[in-house]
Amino acid sequence: MNIVALGYIGLEVRDLAAWSKFCEGVLGLMPAASADSGRRYRIDAQAWRIDLAEGDRDDLSYAGFEVADEASLRAIRERFHEAGVVLTPGEPELLARRGVTELVYCQDPDGLRVEVYYGPTLVTDAPFVSPIGAGGFVADSQGLGHIVLTASRIDETRHFYRDLLGFRLSDIIRMGLGEAGALDLEFYHCNPRHHTLALVPVGAPKRLLHFMLQARVLDDVGFALDRVLESGAPLAQTLGRHTNDQMVSFYVKTPSGFEVEYGWGGQEVHDDTWRVARHDKPSIWGHKRSLA
Ligand SMILES: [Fe+2]
């Protein structure tokens, strides 16, 4: 009776035209029908996964988490109710806009709009086709990918995502900050994807540090890196392999300033065999910012 996937994200962006180019020409995402004047993109059979709306925030404006069915949604509502957190039911107009069967929403401790839903729209008669020939993404039952959020009140935020939504800790990476000390980054899973959510315990003007898309084959990461270099989009971190999920990836800066991680080969987590670990660095090799 927990969250089973990150289903979709809504981004509020200043430069919609630059974002459209970036999504299609660099990331290789498939344009999808949009419910309004913004843009939507697909990465698998789900009708849409990323929603872009024009606005000043250049940040994540909402995250949609999927549960399996009505009973799971009811169980989550009861858990929130017992914890004293009000979940507002989505109006029919909102359900139609999101293309889901039922939805409730609230705000996380730092004010991010969080939606919980079941029953997304699938468009199996029009399979995912990338406009620039990208091979496809690891998505479907593993959801969109992962998001990394800043959390100014880590105890409350951990309680919200772990105890109320049902995320499980995968591991922790201690990031050394020199004389400033160190930060513990917490990585959480809700399906076999190593992490769907990571929390960085700092207050920041923006919530989203990056979102991650996982290619099915390594060559698609290489092709995407070539497109980044050709397009002039700023490379934020060079190719590297992470310590915890073992993902081979690079990071590119989006037109909004936060980053996209484009990766391949993340190891999977299975609750019956997984053991929580600690790491003292984020990467085995690569992921250099100074050379980017
Ligand atoms: Fe990541």
Short mmCIF file of all heavy atoms in Angstrom, two decimals, residues 18 21-23 25-27 224-237 250-256 258 260 292:
data_model
loop_
_atom_site.label_atom_id
_atom_site.label_comp_id
_atom_site.label_asym_id
_atom_site.label_seq_id
_atom_site.Cartn_x
_atom_site.Cartn_y
_atom_site.Cartn_z
N ALA A 18 13.06 27.21 -25.71
CA ALA A 18 14.37 26.58 -25.50
C ALA A 18 14.19 25.18 -24.91
O ALA A 18 14.90 24.24 -25.27
CB ALA A 18 15.22 27.44 -24.56
N LYS A 21 13.10 22.60 -27.62
CA LYS A 21 14.27 22.20 -28.40
C LYS A 21 15.13 21.22 -27.62
O LYS A 21 15.63 20.23 -28.14
CB LYS A 21 15.13 23.43 -28.70
CG LYS A 21 14.95 24.05 -30.04
CD LYS A 21 16.07 25.05 -30.16
CE LYS A 21 16.24 25.71 -31.45
NZ LYS A 21 17.05 26.93 -31.31
N PHE A 22 15.31 21.54 -26.34
CA PHE A 22 16.16 20.72 -25.46
C PHE A 22 15.56 19.31 -25.29
O PHE A 22 16.26 18.31 -25.42
CB PHE A 22 16.29 21.43 -24.11
CG PHE A 22 17.11 20.70 -23.09
CD1 PHE A 22 18.50 20.67 -23.20
CD2 PHE A 22 16.51 20.06 -22.02
CE1 PHE A 22 19.28 19.99 -22.25
CE2 PHE A 22 17.27 19.39 -21.07
CZ PHE A 22 18.65 19.35 -21.19
N CYS A 23 14.26 19.26 -25.03
CA CYS A 23 13.61 17.96 -24.80
C CYS A 23 13.65 17.08 -26.05
O CYS A 23 13.94 15.89 -25.97
CB CYS A 23 12.16 18.15 -24.36
SG CYS A 23 12.00 18.69 -22.65
N GLY A 25 15.44 17.76 -29.18
CA GLY A 25 16.69 17.67 -29.92
C GLY A 25 17.85 17.10 -29.11
O GLY A 25 18.77 16.51 -29.67
N VAL A 26 17.85 17.30 -27.80
CA VAL A 26 18.97 16.83 -26.97
C VAL A 26 18.60 15.56 -26.22
O VAL A 26 19.30 14.55 -26.31
CB VAL A 26 19.44 17.94 -25.99
CG1 VAL A 26 20.55 17.42 -25.10
CG2 VAL A 26 19.91 19.17 -26.77
N LEU A 27 17.47 15.60 -25.50
CA LEU A 27 17.09 14.43 -24.70
C LEU A 27 16.43 13.34 -25.55
O LEU A 27 16.43 12.17 -25.16
CB LEU A 27 16.15 14.85 -23.56
CG LEU A 27 16.69 15.91 -22.59
CD1 LEU A 27 15.65 16.23 -21.52
CD2 LEU A 27 18.01 15.47 -21.96
N ALA A 224 23.59 10.79 -26.79
CA ALA A 224 23.04 11.98 -26.12
C ALA A 224 24.16 12.95 -25.75
O ALA A 224 24.02 14.17 -25.89
CB ALA A 224 22.25 11.58 -24.87
N LEU A 225 25.29 12.42 -25.30
CA LEU A 225 26.44 13.27 -24.97
C LEU A 225 26.93 14.00 -26.22
O LEU A 225 27.24 15.19 -26.17
CB LEU A 225 27.55 12.40 -24.36
CG LEU A 225 28.79 13.11 -23.83
CD1 LEU A 225 28.44 14.23 -22.85
CD2 LEU A 225 29.72 12.09 -23.15
N ASP A 226 26.97 13.31 -27.34
CA ASP A 226 27.35 13.97 -28.60
C ASP A 226 26.37 15.10 -28.94
O ASP A 226 26.78 16.18 -29.37
CB ASP A 226 27.37 12.97 -29.76
CG ASP A 226 28.65 12.14 -29.81
OD1 ASP A 226 29.59 12.45 -29.04
OD2 ASP A 226 28.70 11.19 -30.61
N ARG A 227 25.07 14.85 -28.71
CA ARG A 227 24.08 15.90 -29.03
C ARG A 227 24.23 17.09 -28.09
O ARG A 227 24.06 18.24 -28.51
CB ARG A 227 22.65 15.33 -28.92
CG ARG A 227 22.31 14.31 -30.00
CD ARG A 227 20.81 14.05 -30.07
NE ARG A 227 20.25 13.54 -28.83
CZ ARG A 227 20.20 12.25 -28.50
NH1 ARG A 227 20.66 11.31 -29.31
NH2 ARG A 227 19.67 11.88 -27.34
N VAL A 228 24.57 16.83 -26.83
CA VAL A 228 24.81 17.93 -25.88
C VAL A 228 25.97 18.79 -26.38
O VAL A 228 25.87 20.02 -26.45
CB VAL A 228 25.12 17.37 -24.47
CG1 VAL A 228 25.72 18.45 -23.57
CG2 VAL A 228 23.86 16.80 -23.84
N LEU A 229 27.06 18.15 -26.75
CA LEU A 229 28.25 18.89 -27.17
C LEU A 229 27.98 19.66 -28.46
O LEU A 229 28.40 20.80 -28.62
CB LEU A 229 29.44 17.94 -27.33
CG LEU A 229 29.84 17.20 -26.04
CD1 LEU A 229 30.94 16.19 -26.30
CD2 LEU A 229 30.27 18.18 -24.95
N GLU A 230 27.21 19.04 -29.37
CA GLU A 230 26.89 19.71 -30.63
C GLU A 230 25.93 20.88 -30.43
O GLU A 230 26.01 21.90 -31.11
CB GLU A 230 26.26 18.72 -31.62
CG GLU A 230 27.28 17.83 -32.31
CD GLU A 230 26.66 16.56 -32.87
OE1 GLU A 230 25.42 16.52 -33.06
OE2 GLU A 230 27.41 15.58 -33.07
N SER A 231 25.00 20.73 -29.48
CA SER A 231 23.96 21.75 -29.30
C SER A 231 24.48 22.95 -28.52
O SER A 231 23.86 24.02 -28.53
CB SER A 231 22.77 21.16 -28.52
OG SER A 231 23.12 20.95 -27.17
N GLY A 232 25.60 22.78 -27.81
CA GLY A 232 26.09 23.87 -26.98
C GLY A 232 25.42 23.95 -25.62
O GLY A 232 25.71 24.85 -24.83
N ALA A 233 24.53 23.01 -25.30
CA ALA A 233 23.95 22.96 -23.95
C ALA A 233 25.09 22.70 -22.97
O ALA A 233 25.97 21.87 -23.24
CB ALA A 233 22.90 21.85 -23.86
N PRO A 234 25.13 23.42 -21.82
CA PRO A 234 26.28 23.28 -20.93
C PRO A 234 26.34 21.91 -20.25
O PRO A 234 25.38 21.49 -19.60
CB PRO A 234 26.05 24.38 -19.88
CG PRO A 234 24.93 25.22 -20.39
CD PRO A 234 24.14 24.40 -21.34
N LEU A 235 27.47 21.22 -20.46
CA LEU A 235 27.70 19.96 -19.75
C LEU A 235 28.00 20.30 -18.30
O LEU A 235 28.90 21.08 -18.02
CB LEU A 235 28.88 19.22 -20.40
CG LEU A 235 29.14 17.80 -19.92
CD1 LEU A 235 28.01 16.86 -20.31
CD2 LEU A 235 30.47 17.28 -20.49
N ALA A 236 27.25 19.74 -17.38
CA ALA A 236 27.42 20.08 -15.96
C ALA A 236 28.37 19.11 -15.26
O ALA A 236 29.10 19.50 -14.35
CB ALA A 236 26.07 20.09 -15.26
N GLN A 237 28.31 17.83 -15.65
CA GLN A 237 29.27 16.84 -15.12
C GLN A 237 29.62 15.89 -16.24
O GLN A 237 28.74 15.44 -16.99
CB GLN A 237 28.66 16.05 -13.96
CG GLN A 237 28.44 16.86 -12.70
CD GLN A 237 27.97 15.99 -11.53
OE1 GLN A 237 28.47 14.90 -11.30
NE2 GLN A 237 26.99 16.48 -10.81
N PHE A 250 26.00 11.20 -17.54
CA PHE A 250 26.53 12.56 -17.53
C PHE A 250 25.40 13.47 -17.10
O PHE A 250 24.22 13.05 -17.05
CB PHE A 250 27.09 12.95 -18.90
CG PHE A 250 26.05 13.11 -19.97
CD1 PHE A 250 25.34 14.29 -20.13
CD2 PHE A 250 25.74 12.04 -20.82
CE1 PHE A 250 24.37 14.42 -21.10
CE2 PHE A 250 24.75 12.16 -21.79
CZ PHE A 250 24.06 13.36 -21.93
N TYR A 251 25.74 14.73 -16.80
CA TYR A 251 24.74 15.71 -16.38
C TYR A 251 24.81 16.91 -17.32
O TYR A 251 25.90 17.41 -17.59
CB TYR A 251 25.01 16.21 -14.95
CG TYR A 251 24.75 15.20 -13.86
CD1 TYR A 251 25.56 14.07 -13.72
CD2 TYR A 251 23.72 15.39 -12.95
CE1 TYR A 251 25.33 13.15 -12.71
CE2 TYR A 251 23.49 14.47 -11.93
CZ TYR A 251 24.30 13.35 -11.81
OH TYR A 251 24.07 12.44 -10.81
N VAL A 252 23.65 17.35 -17.77
CA VAL A 252 23.58 18.53 -18.64
C VAL A 252 22.67 19.56 -17.97
O VAL A 252 21.68 19.22 -17.32
CB VAL A 252 23.06 18.14 -20.05
CG1 VAL A 252 21.70 17.47 -19.99
CG2 VAL A 252 23.01 19.36 -20.98
N LYS A 253 23.07 20.83 -18.12
CA LYS A 253 22.25 21.90 -17.54
C LYS A 253 21.05 22.18 -18.45
O LYS A 253 21.20 22.27 -19.67
CB LYS A 253 23.11 23.17 -17.43
CG LYS A 253 22.59 24.19 -16.46
CD LYS A 253 23.60 25.29 -16.24
CE LYS A 253 24.17 25.20 -14.83
NZ LYS A 253 24.89 26.42 -14.44
N THR A 254 19.87 22.27 -17.87
CA THR A 254 18.66 22.57 -18.64
C THR A 254 18.55 24.08 -18.84
O THR A 254 19.25 24.85 -18.16
CB THR A 254 17.40 22.10 -17.89
OG1 THR A 254 17.22 22.94 -16.73
CG2 THR A 254 17.51 20.65 -17.46
N PRO A 255 17.65 24.53 -19.71
CA PRO A 255 17.44 25.98 -19.87
C PRO A 255 16.97 26.66 -18.58
O PRO A 255 16.97 27.89 -18.50
CB PRO A 255 16.37 26.06 -20.97
CG PRO A 255 16.53 24.79 -21.75
CD PRO A 255 16.91 23.75 -20.73
N SER A 256 16.55 25.89 -17.58
CA SER A 256 16.11 26.47 -16.30
C SER A 256 17.22 26.50 -15.25
O SER A 256 16.99 26.97 -14.13
CB SER A 256 14.93 25.68 -15.73
OG SER A 256 13.77 25.90 -16.52
N PHE A 258 18.62 24.04 -13.47
CA PHE A 258 18.82 22.73 -12.84
C PHE A 258 19.26 21.75 -13.91
O PHE A 258 19.35 22.10 -15.09
CB PHE A 258 17.57 22.27 -12.07
CG PHE A 258 16.32 22.20 -12.88
CD1 PHE A 258 16.07 21.13 -13.72
CD2 PHE A 258 15.36 23.22 -12.81
CE1 PHE A 258 14.91 21.06 -14.48
CE2 PHE A 258 14.20 23.16 -13.57
CZ PHE A 258 13.98 22.08 -14.40
N VAL A 260 19.78 17.73 -15.85
CA VAL A 260 19.24 16.41 -16.18
C VAL A 260 20.40 15.43 -16.14
O VAL A 260 21.47 15.71 -16.70
CB VAL A 260 18.60 16.38 -17.58
CG1 VAL A 260 18.30 14.94 -18.01
CG2 VAL A 260 17.32 17.18 -17.60
N ALA A 292 34.02 20.18 -16.88
CA ALA A 292 32.82 20.26 -17.72
C ALA A 292 32.74 21.61 -18.40
O ALA A 292 33.33 22.57 -17.97
CB ALA A 292 31.59 20.01 -16.87
#
